[in-house]
Amino acid sequence: MNCLLRYPLLLLAYWIAAGVHGSRILCLSVGVHRSQLLVHLAVARVLLQRGHQLTLVTSQPLERDWLTANVTHLLLPWQLPREQVIEPHANFLTRLQWTLERLEKSGELLDQPEWREFMEHTPSTPYDLLLLGYHFNDHLLGVAAHFNCPVAIITTQQPIGFVHSLMGNPEERWYVPQPYDSRQRTGLEGYIFGLWEKLSELLARRVMQRIYSTHFPSPQYPSFEEMRRRVILALNNHHMVSEGPIGPLLPNMLDIGGIVMEQMERKELNLPRRPFIVFSLGTRFSWLTMPGKVEKAFVDAFAQLRDYDIYWTYDGANASTIHLANSHVHLEDWWPQAQLLAHPLARLFITHGGKGSLSEALYYGVPMLGLPLLGDQRPNLRKMQNKGWGLSLDIHNVSQAELLCSIKRLLNEKQFRESIRRSSLLYRDRPLNASDLAAYWLEYVIRHKGAPHLSGNARHLNFWQRHLLDVRLAVYGPLGMLGWLALWLNRKLNCNR
Ligand SMILES: *[C@@H]1O[C@H](CO)[C@@H](O)[C@H](O)[C@H]1NC(C)=O
Ligand SMILES: *[C@@H]1O[C@H](CO)[C@@H](O)[C@H](O)[C@H]1NC(C)=O
Ligand SMILES: *[C@@H]1O[C@H](CO)[C@@H](O)[C@H](O)[C@H]1NC(C)=O
Ligand SMILES: *[C@@H]1O[C@H](CO)[C@@H](O)[C@H](O)[C@H]1NC(C)=O
């Protein structure tokens, strides 16, 4: 009797555990920059720690330690053509055109032989979840259609308009500025900026829809719009409560800002016991492209800072010359940036202001000197400066005196450090840390077979209905007409009197 009872119970226990723990998850991180890949990999690492089986598709090679028992890796050596260096003065129509042309090419991924083989030879319905690194690639939702599994997306910054319309969040631009808007427009200006953005979004979505229909044709596959509605969670590498701006979000928007630091691997570092400065301008920047006078300004400024060690990520030609003349300046192609910032003797971070670097400085509470180069870095650094976490300079015309003056202020004036320390406490104060939050909700979706109940009603409305345009027109249209008629009659009667 005892025995008979025990078996079904064991089976049941196994079944419950298997329902969540041994899940098979496909993680797609293609055509993205290294800093974006790091966010996707941090989420993947959390899932591995929970005992899931991962299939990782990336367009960049992974480090060796990724190739463990529960990971299947597919390398698709494919990248979008490099972004054109957009002249700052190109008008916005030209920029939009460039962006759309570039987007047009993203369908090429789906023609790669490695990719086709993967799609054709993987047996149907093997995955419990698709985790998509979301980066203007809605057409890849076809992969979830192919494997008939639920989808969660990972975004690498404060959610932008694309994400809001995908998930069905209300977009109230008149008080929620966008991450890439360096002027942080609100009010009427923000509203109009939002309309322009919606238009670009619509055009981009048409391109992605075209790519989708080519590779995932109906009736074999659900429609593009249907697949967009099936995205059930968005994990955003941001923390709204401490980083702002506060805006209206649905409950399936999850803030996982900080997850990269939580999942960071700690290697042994051999650091001298002196305060130090970390200097890195990101993976997309090369010192070989910089005029010698900029480099010289930095070297000359650092020469005056002998009380500090300086860890400089440098790929230029003069590393040994610089180090010979300044033994406290240590130059390498790559320094473990997060790990340096985590060290209690880190005093200052000189950065380009990429989202990943800013999060690291915030997490560890290190003040910054910002040198924006492109994209969202300028607005990121402007916000950073407004919060009192540091200062910014223009790298193209920076002088040795100006650099030294800013660095000394940042090292000597307490307010910068205090202010970023306070924010760091807020950033970390949460009911669940980012890793546990991501694990909980991703497993929730698997447990509840895609959890379709998480989806908001707004996603089932069309554009007119969602923006209440039909109702507004029906109510305010006649009202306006009546008002106009009253004015007209009034004028007529006055004239005739
Ligand atoms: C691989 O996954 C299984 C469960 O699916 C788990 O028991 C095992 O510990 C995992 N192995 C590693 C190295 O994580
Ligand atoms: C997240 O929080 C849990 C509970 O406090 C803790 O056990 C875990 O180590 C934390 N994870 C990370 C990566 O910090
Ligand atoms: C670095 O090297 C380049 C070429 O070798 C040279 O033109 C430049 O002046 C050097 N800069 C410094 C700061 O030494
Ligand atoms: C550098 O250029 C910016 C504008 O591009 C200007 O505001 C700033 O004053 C300039 N700094 C110096 C030192 O010339």
mmCIF file with all atom_site columns, all heavy atoms in Angstrom, residues 152-164:
data_model
loop_
_atom_site.group_PDB
_atom_site.id
_atom_site.type_symbol
_atom_site.label_atom_id
_atom_site.label_alt_id
_atom_site.label_comp_id
_atom_site.label_asym_id
_atom_site.label_entity_id
_atom_site.label_seq_id
_atom_site.pdbx_PDB_ins_code
_atom_site.Cartn_x
_atom_site.Cartn_y
_atom_site.Cartn_z
_atom_site.occupancy
_atom_site.B_iso_or_equiv
_atom_site.pdbx_formal_charge
_atom_site.auth_seq_id
_atom_site.auth_comp_id
_atom_site.auth_asym_id
_atom_site.auth_atom_id
_atom_site.pdbx_PDB_model_num
ATOM 1   N N   . ALA A 1 152 ? 9.334  35.574 -24.865 1.00 0.00 ? 152 ALA A N   1
ATOM 2   C CA  . ALA A 1 152 ? 9.651  36.720 -24.014 1.00 0.00 ? 152 ALA A CA  1
ATOM 3   C C   . ALA A 1 152 ? 10.774 37.477 -24.707 1.00 0.00 ? 152 ALA A C   1
ATOM 4   O O   . ALA A 1 152 ? 11.615 36.863 -25.360 1.00 0.00 ? 152 ALA A O   1
ATOM 5   C CB  . ALA A 1 152 ? 10.095 36.250 -22.640 1.00 0.00 ? 152 ALA A CB  1
ATOM 6   N N   . ILE A 1 153 ? 10.755 38.794 -24.600 1.00 0.00 ? 153 ILE A N   1
ATOM 7   C CA  . ILE A 1 153 ? 11.832 39.568 -25.228 1.00 0.00 ? 153 ILE A CA  1
ATOM 8   C C   . ILE A 1 153 ? 12.718 40.196 -24.148 1.00 0.00 ? 153 ILE A C   1
ATOM 9   O O   . ILE A 1 153 ? 12.284 40.394 -23.015 1.00 0.00 ? 153 ILE A O   1
ATOM 10  C CB  . ILE A 1 153 ? 11.295 40.674 -26.155 1.00 0.00 ? 153 ILE A CB  1
ATOM 11  C CG1 . ILE A 1 153 ? 10.433 41.661 -25.384 1.00 0.00 ? 153 ILE A CG1 1
ATOM 12  C CG2 . ILE A 1 153 ? 10.520 40.079 -27.318 1.00 0.00 ? 153 ILE A CG2 1
ATOM 13  C CD1 . ILE A 1 153 ? 10.109 42.917 -26.167 1.00 0.00 ? 153 ILE A CD1 1
ATOM 14  N N   . ILE A 1 154 ? 13.962 40.474 -24.543 1.00 0.00 ? 154 ILE A N   1
ATOM 15  C CA  . ILE A 1 154 ? 14.880 41.192 -23.650 1.00 0.00 ? 154 ILE A CA  1
ATOM 16  C C   . ILE A 1 154 ? 15.261 42.489 -24.354 1.00 0.00 ? 154 ILE A C   1
ATOM 17  O O   . ILE A 1 154 ? 15.721 42.460 -25.489 1.00 0.00 ? 154 ILE A O   1
ATOM 18  C CB  . ILE A 1 154 ? 16.169 40.391 -23.400 1.00 0.00 ? 154 ILE A CB  1
ATOM 19  C CG1 . ILE A 1 154 ? 15.841 38.973 -22.948 1.00 0.00 ? 154 ILE A CG1 1
ATOM 20  C CG2 . ILE A 1 154 ? 17.049 41.088 -22.384 1.00 0.00 ? 154 ILE A CG2 1
ATOM 21  C CD1 . ILE A 1 154 ? 17.071 38.091 -22.833 1.00 0.00 ? 154 ILE A CD1 1
ATOM 22  N N   . THR A 1 155 ? 15.061 43.620 -23.702 1.00 0.00 ? 155 THR A N   1
ATOM 23  C CA  . THR A 1 155 ? 15.513 44.880 -24.280 1.00 0.00 ? 155 THR A CA  1
ATOM 24  C C   . THR A 1 155 ? 16.648 45.406 -23.417 1.00 0.00 ? 155 THR A C   1
ATOM 25  O O   . THR A 1 155 ? 16.734 45.075 -22.231 1.00 0.00 ? 155 THR A O   1
ATOM 26  C CB  . THR A 1 155 ? 14.399 45.941 -24.357 1.00 0.00 ? 155 THR A CB  1
ATOM 27  O OG1 . THR A 1 155 ? 14.178 46.481 -23.053 1.00 0.00 ? 155 THR A OG1 1
ATOM 28  C CG2 . THR A 1 155 ? 13.101 45.340 -24.865 1.00 0.00 ? 155 THR A CG2 1
ATOM 29  N N   . THR A 1 156 ? 17.525 46.221 -24.028 1.00 0.00 ? 156 THR A N   1
ATOM 30  C CA  . THR A 1 156 ? 18.742 46.558 -23.292 1.00 0.00 ? 156 THR A CA  1
ATOM 31  C C   . THR A 1 156 ? 18.742 47.972 -22.719 1.00 0.00 ? 156 THR A C   1
ATOM 32  O O   . THR A 1 156 ? 19.787 48.474 -22.333 1.00 0.00 ? 156 THR A O   1
ATOM 33  C CB  . THR A 1 156 ? 19.968 46.366 -24.194 1.00 0.00 ? 156 THR A CB  1
ATOM 34  O OG1 . THR A 1 156 ? 19.738 47.088 -25.400 1.00 0.00 ? 156 THR A OG1 1
ATOM 35  C CG2 . THR A 1 156 ? 20.177 44.913 -24.527 1.00 0.00 ? 156 THR A CG2 1
ATOM 36  N N   . GLN A 1 157 ? 17.589 48.613 -22.686 1.00 0.00 ? 157 GLN A N   1
ATOM 37  C CA  . GLN A 1 157 ? 17.537 49.946 -22.089 1.00 0.00 ? 157 GLN A CA  1
ATOM 38  C C   . GLN A 1 157 ? 16.123 50.256 -21.619 1.00 0.00 ? 157 GLN A C   1
ATOM 39  O O   . GLN A 1 157 ? 15.273 49.366 -21.633 1.00 0.00 ? 157 GLN A O   1
ATOM 40  C CB  . GLN A 1 157 ? 17.969 50.984 -23.126 1.00 0.00 ? 157 GLN A CB  1
ATOM 41  C CG  . GLN A 1 157 ? 17.117 50.906 -24.376 1.00 0.00 ? 157 GLN A CG  1
ATOM 42  C CD  . GLN A 1 157 ? 17.437 52.000 -25.382 1.00 0.00 ? 157 GLN A CD  1
ATOM 43  O OE1 . GLN A 1 157 ? 18.084 52.965 -25.048 1.00 0.00 ? 157 GLN A OE1 1
ATOM 44  N NE2 . GLN A 1 157 ? 16.961 51.857 -26.595 1.00 0.00 ? 157 GLN A NE2 1
ATOM 45  N N   . GLN A 1 158 ? 15.908 51.500 -21.207 1.00 0.00 ? 158 GLN A N   1
ATOM 46  C CA  . GLN A 1 158 ? 14.550 51.941 -20.887 1.00 0.00 ? 158 GLN A CA  1
ATOM 47  C C   . GLN A 1 158 ? 13.688 51.632 -22.101 1.00 0.00 ? 158 GLN A C   1
ATOM 48  O O   . GLN A 1 158 ? 14.072 51.923 -23.226 1.00 0.00 ? 158 GLN A O   1
ATOM 49  C CB  . GLN A 1 158 ? 14.570 53.451 -20.621 1.00 0.00 ? 158 GLN A CB  1
ATOM 50  C CG  . GLN A 1 158 ? 13.197 54.056 -20.408 1.00 0.00 ? 158 GLN A CG  1
ATOM 51  C CD  . GLN A 1 158 ? 13.218 55.580 -20.571 1.00 0.00 ? 158 GLN A CD  1
ATOM 52  O OE1 . GLN A 1 158 ? 14.250 56.220 -20.411 1.00 0.00 ? 158 GLN A OE1 1
ATOM 53  N NE2 . GLN A 1 158 ? 12.074 56.157 -20.914 1.00 0.00 ? 158 GLN A NE2 1
ATOM 54  N N   . PRO A 1 159 ? 12.502 50.994 -21.912 1.00 0.00 ? 159 PRO A N   1
ATOM 55  C CA  . PRO A 1 159 ? 11.711 50.609 -23.079 1.00 0.00 ? 159 PRO A CA  1
ATOM 56  C C   . PRO A 1 159 ? 11.360 51.801 -23.978 1.00 0.00 ? 159 PRO A C   1
ATOM 57  O O   . PRO A 1 159 ? 10.976 52.852 -23.484 1.00 0.00 ? 159 PRO A O   1
ATOM 58  C CB  . PRO A 1 159 ? 10.452 49.986 -22.478 1.00 0.00 ? 159 PRO A CB  1
ATOM 59  C CG  . PRO A 1 159 ? 10.530 50.156 -21.013 1.00 0.00 ? 159 PRO A CG  1
ATOM 60  C CD  . PRO A 1 159 ? 11.903 50.542 -20.654 1.00 0.00 ? 159 PRO A CD  1
ATOM 61  N N   . ILE A 1 160 ? 11.517 51.622 -25.282 1.00 0.00 ? 160 ILE A N   1
ATOM 62  C CA  . ILE A 1 160 ? 11.232 52.695 -26.236 1.00 0.00 ? 160 ILE A CA  1
ATOM 63  C C   . ILE A 1 160 ? 9.864  52.455 -26.886 1.00 0.00 ? 160 ILE A C   1
ATOM 64  O O   . ILE A 1 160 ? 9.212  51.441 -26.627 1.00 0.00 ? 160 ILE A O   1
ATOM 65  C CB  . ILE A 1 160 ? 12.324 52.774 -27.317 1.00 0.00 ? 160 ILE A CB  1
ATOM 66  C CG1 . ILE A 1 160 ? 12.437 51.448 -28.079 1.00 0.00 ? 160 ILE A CG1 1
ATOM 67  C CG2 . ILE A 1 160 ? 13.652 53.137 -26.716 1.00 0.00 ? 160 ILE A CG2 1
ATOM 68  C CD1 . ILE A 1 160 ? 13.347 51.514 -29.282 1.00 0.00 ? 160 ILE A CD1 1
ATOM 69  N N   . GLY A 1 161 ? 9.473  53.371 -27.760 1.00 0.00 ? 161 GLY A N   1
ATOM 70  C CA  . GLY A 1 161 ? 8.155  53.300 -28.396 1.00 0.00 ? 161 GLY A CA  1
ATOM 71  C C   . GLY A 1 161 ? 7.848  51.953 -29.036 1.00 0.00 ? 161 GLY A C   1
ATOM 72  O O   . GLY A 1 161 ? 6.731  51.450 -28.929 1.00 0.00 ? 161 GLY A O   1
ATOM 73  N N   . PHE A 1 162 ? 8.849  51.340 -29.673 1.00 0.00 ? 162 PHE A N   1
ATOM 74  C CA  . PHE A 1 162 ? 8.653  50.038 -30.311 1.00 0.00 ? 162 PHE A CA  1
ATOM 75  C C   . PHE A 1 162 ? 8.149  49.013 -29.301 1.00 0.00 ? 162 PHE A C   1
ATOM 76  O O   . PHE A 1 162 ? 7.286  48.196 -29.592 1.00 0.00 ? 162 PHE A O   1
ATOM 77  C CB  . PHE A 1 162 ? 9.977  49.521 -30.879 1.00 0.00 ? 162 PHE A CB  1
ATOM 78  C CG  . PHE A 1 162 ? 10.281 50.035 -32.246 1.00 0.00 ? 162 PHE A CG  1
ATOM 79  C CD1 . PHE A 1 162 ? 10.877 51.259 -32.391 1.00 0.00 ? 162 PHE A CD1 1
ATOM 80  C CD2 . PHE A 1 162 ? 9.969  49.293 -33.364 1.00 0.00 ? 162 PHE A CD2 1
ATOM 81  C CE1 . PHE A 1 162 ? 11.167 51.748 -33.643 1.00 0.00 ? 162 PHE A CE1 1
ATOM 82  C CE2 . PHE A 1 162 ? 10.254 49.779 -34.628 1.00 0.00 ? 162 PHE A CE2 1
ATOM 83  C CZ  . PHE A 1 162 ? 10.856 51.002 -34.760 1.00 0.00 ? 162 PHE A CZ  1
ATOM 84  N N   . VAL A 1 163 ? 8.737  49.044 -28.111 1.00 0.00 ? 163 VAL A N   1
ATOM 85  C CA  . VAL A 1 163 ? 8.385  48.068 -27.090 1.00 0.00 ? 163 VAL A CA  1
ATOM 86  C C   . VAL A 1 163 ? 6.995  48.378 -26.538 1.00 0.00 ? 163 VAL A C   1
ATOM 87  O O   . VAL A 1 163 ? 6.184  47.483 -26.328 1.00 0.00 ? 163 VAL A O   1
ATOM 88  C CB  . VAL A 1 163 ? 9.437  48.072 -25.966 1.00 0.00 ? 163 VAL A CB  1
ATOM 89  C CG1 . VAL A 1 163 ? 9.101  47.059 -24.899 1.00 0.00 ? 163 VAL A CG1 1
ATOM 90  C CG2 . VAL A 1 163 ? 10.805 47.799 -26.552 1.00 0.00 ? 163 VAL A CG2 1
ATOM 91  N N   . HIS A 1 164 ? 6.714  49.670 -26.356 1.00 0.00 ? 164 HIS A N   1
ATOM 92  C CA  . HIS A 1 164 ? 5.402  50.034 -25.832 1.00 0.00 ? 164 HIS A CA  1
ATOM 93  C C   . HIS A 1 164 ? 4.293  49.594 -26.778 1.00 0.00 ? 164 HIS A C   1
ATOM 94  O O   . HIS A 1 164 ? 3.286  49.060 -26.341 1.00 0.00 ? 164 HIS A O   1
ATOM 95  C CB  . HIS A 1 164 ? 5.318  51.542 -25.612 1.00 0.00 ? 164 HIS A CB  1
ATOM 96  C CG  . HIS A 1 164 ? 6.200  52.029 -24.518 1.00 0.00 ? 164 HIS A CG  1
ATOM 97  N ND1 . HIS A 1 164 ? 6.269  51.397 -23.301 1.00 0.00 ? 164 HIS A ND1 1
ATOM 98  C CD2 . HIS A 1 164 ? 7.071  53.062 -24.457 1.00 0.00 ? 164 HIS A CD2 1
ATOM 99  C CE1 . HIS A 1 164 ? 7.145  52.040 -22.531 1.00 0.00 ? 164 HIS A CE1 1
ATOM 100 N NE2 . HIS A 1 164 ? 7.643  53.046 -23.211 1.00 0.00 ? 164 HIS A NE2 1
#
